[in-house]
Amino acid sequence: MFKKYWKFFVIFWSVLLVGIIGVFVFFWLISAGKLGFMPTFEELENPNNRFASEVYFADGPIMNRYFEKENRKYIEYREIPQSVIDALIATEDVRFYDHSGIDVRGLFRVAKGLLTANTSAGGGSTISQQLAKMLFPRESDLNVFELVIRKFREWVIAVRLEKSYTKEEILTMYLNKFDFLNNAVGIKTAANTYFSKEPKDLSIEEAATLVGMCKNPSLYNPKRFNERSRGRRNVVLDQMRKAG
């Protein structure tokens, strides 16, 4: 009986072993920069972030702000309201504190959604992967193969970000880097642009509105599409409720 299936077992385990080795080699090639650009340790430790310059009157009030491309004002983690943090994690990466850059359960959920044609299954991209994409933007005009390679590179960068920064630092970088459009880069400028408030003064509904824009800042822009933005806001609030 054993001899009958011996050939099958040898072939099965050989294919499995080759597959596992192939995956390790593939990710090693990506990590070593053999399949395209991979940021160095120094580039990960010192990402290129542009902030607006501010000029003040001698007696205190701000005179003007100057920026070349990105109207961004830095905000520290302690200044970000908990409602913004909760909304972002509940909506974009509910297991943010439980993974190291790649959410394996999320990937299985995406695979199940593809197999069952369930478009509401959600994505598998973590906050760290989204930050990797923002810090090192994708090249334009990528073909399908290059896009797949780029996605895997973002996985590797996300894992490296998780090793280099704390979870709080990653959230701070994300919320300082995201482009909310209308010359509002980062949560501090966005709060002022859309609600004429400092982040600490945002209501839960306003925080959910801004986080809702992270899915698509153009499509869910409250200045252009108020009703659509409100619907997305309600989705974020519902995700917060589900996440407790």
Side-chain angles (χ1 to χ4, degrees), residues 49-136:
N49 288 318
R50 297 184 176 91
F51 296 97
S53 300
E54 297 182 336
V55 178
Y56 290 83
F57 288 103
D59 57 351
I62 186 170
M63 180 189 301
N64 210 339
R65 306 184 74 206
Y66 300 93
F67 56 93
E68 182 181 355
K69 291 182 178 180
E70 299 179 347
N71 183 20
R72 181 195 293 117
K73 190 172 182 180
Y74 184 76
I75 184 173
E76 296 183 3
Y77 181 80
R78 58 182 175 82
E79 299 176 274
I80 303 171
Q82 191 62 43
S83 57
V84 171
I85 299 295
D86 291 342
L88 181 65
I89 292 174
T91 308
E92 296 294 324
D93 189 357
V94 72
R95 283 179 290 278
F96 175 68
Y97 290 108
D98 300 324
H99 64 68
S100 298
I102 300 173
D103 181 9
V104 177
R105 285 177 61 184
L107 293 177
F108 278 115
R109 185 187 66 241
V110 172
K112 181 181 178 181
L114 290 173
L115 291 173
T116 60
N118 180 12
T119 56
S120 63
S125 183
T126 65
I127 288 175
S128 304
Q129 289 169 33
Q130 293 177 39
L131 177 60
K133 184 178 176 181
M134 285 191 281
L135 292 175
F136 307 100

Side-chain angles (χ1 to χ4, degrees), residues 220-237:
Y220 299 107
N221 194 301
K223 284 194 172 185
R224 295 185 60 199
F225 307 108
N226 191 268
E227 288 299 320
R228 188 184 296 162
S229 172
R230 189 176 301 154
R232 178 62 185 166
R233 177 205 67 184
N234 292 341
V235 170
V236 174
L237 290 171

